[in-house]
């Protein structure tokens, strides 16, 4: 059974710190991997999409990497701000074009 | 560009009652998804449409849940009769692509509470 694990489940850091969120998956035959952000009571917003042929994607202070051989993706957030507080979810698309989701990491940035 | 629209945002019903949720995807998006998200968990796919055809409904509890996508645009998700365990946020998403998921765009969700 394909699984996605996100560790830690929750993280609290002071404002300004650089941080890394982790996503591990069991199926190396992925089609792509996406990182999403979810604010309380809201839907999900796509942050970054990494195709299987790519190693990383960057958007502003966010950088996502993908290592299929080790079954890992990381989301790096530089110079964290209180507005970055949210739940971050990763999901990979398998060879059947199905999205397999992690449970998310709840991030709190303390002012 | 208008985003994915969902209604109602909130609904409270008693068990065994029925409820319907509506979704209007981004214009031109061929694929539409309904997800169920229980607090503290990732989304669970209920049904995926490509245009007005069903691609995957393997996790849809068909004895109580139904969904349709008329004319390949708007979609409705119905629950009848509702159970306590149906309390969740129902998320609608759409994507451009026909093969592969591509980038997903989500609505704000419809939060259902079953008492």
């Amino acid at each position: 059974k394909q699984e996605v694990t996100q560790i830690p489940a929750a993280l609290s850091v002071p404002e300004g710190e650089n941080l890394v969120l982790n996503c591990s998956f069991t199926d190396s035959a992925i089609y792509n991997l996406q990182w999403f952000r979810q604010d309380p009571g809201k839907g999900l917003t796509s942050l970054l999409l990494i195709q299987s042929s790519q190693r990383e994607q960057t958007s502003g202070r966010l950088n996502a990497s993908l290592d299929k051989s080790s079954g890992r993706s990381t989301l790096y957030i530089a110079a964290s701000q209180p507005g970055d507080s949210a739940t971050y979810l990763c999901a990979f698309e398998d060879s059947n074009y199905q999205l397999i989701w992690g449970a998310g990491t709840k991030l709190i940035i303390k002012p | 560009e208008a985003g994915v629209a969902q209604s109602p945002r909130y609904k409270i019903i008693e068990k065994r009652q029925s409820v319907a949720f509506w979704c209007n995807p981004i214009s031109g998006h061929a694929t539409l998804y309904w997800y169920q998200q229980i607090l503290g968990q990732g989304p669970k796919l209920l049904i995926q449409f490509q245009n007005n055809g069903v691609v995957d409904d393997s996790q849809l509890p068909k004895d109580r849940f139904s969904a349709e996508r008329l004319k390949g645009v708007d979609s409705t998700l119905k629950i009848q009769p509702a159970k306590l365990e149906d309390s969740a946020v129902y998320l609608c998403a759409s994507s451009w692509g026909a093969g592969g998921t591509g980038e997903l765009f989500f609505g704000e969700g419809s939060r259902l509470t079953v008492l």
Side-chain angles (χ1 to χ4, degrees):
Chain A
K1 178 184 175 183
Q2 300 157 347
E3 291 186 354
V4 178
T5 303
Q6 292 190 249
I7 295 174
L11 181 64
S12 180
V13 300
E15 178 179 5
E17 282 198 6
N18 302 323
L19 57 97
V20 174
L21 305 182
N22 296 296
C23 171
S24 61
F25 47 91
T26 55
D27 185 357
S28 62
I30 67 171
Y31 192 74
N32 63 44
L33 187 138
Q34 300 187 51
W35 281 93
F36 294 86
R37 168 185 173 140
Q38 187 170 32
D39 293 283
K42 301 287 188 179
L44 287 84
T45 301
S46 178
L47 297 173
L48 292 163
L49 184 154
I50 310 175
Q51 300 288 355
S52 63
S53 58
Q54 299 174 323
R55 294 294 301 269
E56 65 177 342
Q57 282 286 339
T58 298
S59 176
R61 295 181 294 108
L62 305 180
N63 175 276
S65 67
L66 174 63
D67 184 346
K68 291 195 299 179
S69 62
S70 66
R72 289 188 61 190
S73 176
T74 60
L75 179 66
Y76 175 82
I77 302 176
S80 58
Q81 303 171 358
D84 294 330
S85 297
T87 296
Y88 292 81
L89 296 96
C90 67
F92 79 84
E93 184 174 344
D94 67 12
S95 54
N96 295 315
Y97 304 129
Q98 301 301 312
L99 273 182
I100 312 298
W101 292 83
T105 294
K106 184 176 182 179
L107 177 64
I108 298 173
I109 307 299
K110 297 175 289 186
Chain B
E1 178 183 82
V4 177
Q6 289 189 248
S7 66
R9 287 295 314 279
Y10 305 94
K11 189 73 175 180
I12 300 174
I13 62 173
E14 296 190 348
K15 60 183 179 182
R16 291 187 289 273
Q17 287 187 324
S18 63
V19 63
F21 302 113
W22 173 82
C23 173
N24 186 6
I26 292 173
S27 177
H29 279 195
T31 308
L32 184 148
Y33 311 79
W34 282 103
Y35 285 93
Q36 179 193 61
Q37 188 178 27
I38 293 172
L39 187 64
Q41 298 181 17
K44 170 189 170 184
L45 179 67
L46 294 175
I47 190 167
Q48 176 183 343
F49 293 96
Q50 184 171 310
N51 297 310
N52 59 352
V54 176
V55 174
D56 183 358
D57 63 356
S58 58
Q59 298 191 88
L60 186 74
K62 298 181 183 66
D63 57 334
R64 298 184 300 107
F65 286 63
S66 65
E68 61 180 3
R69 188 180 186 194
L70 298 175
K71 300 180 181 178
V73 182
D74 292 9
S75 178
T76 57
L77 175 71
K78 297 179 181 178
I79 307 174
Q80 181 179 12
K83 292 185 175 181
L84 297 177
E85 59 261 36
D86 297 332
S87 295
V89 177
Y90 291 85
L91 296 165
C92 179
S94 68
S95 66
W96 179 267
T101 300
E103 186 176 3
L104 284 185
F105 295 84
F106 281 84
E108 294 205 326
S110 295
R111 181 177 296 275
L112 174 65
T113 301
V114 182
L115 304 176

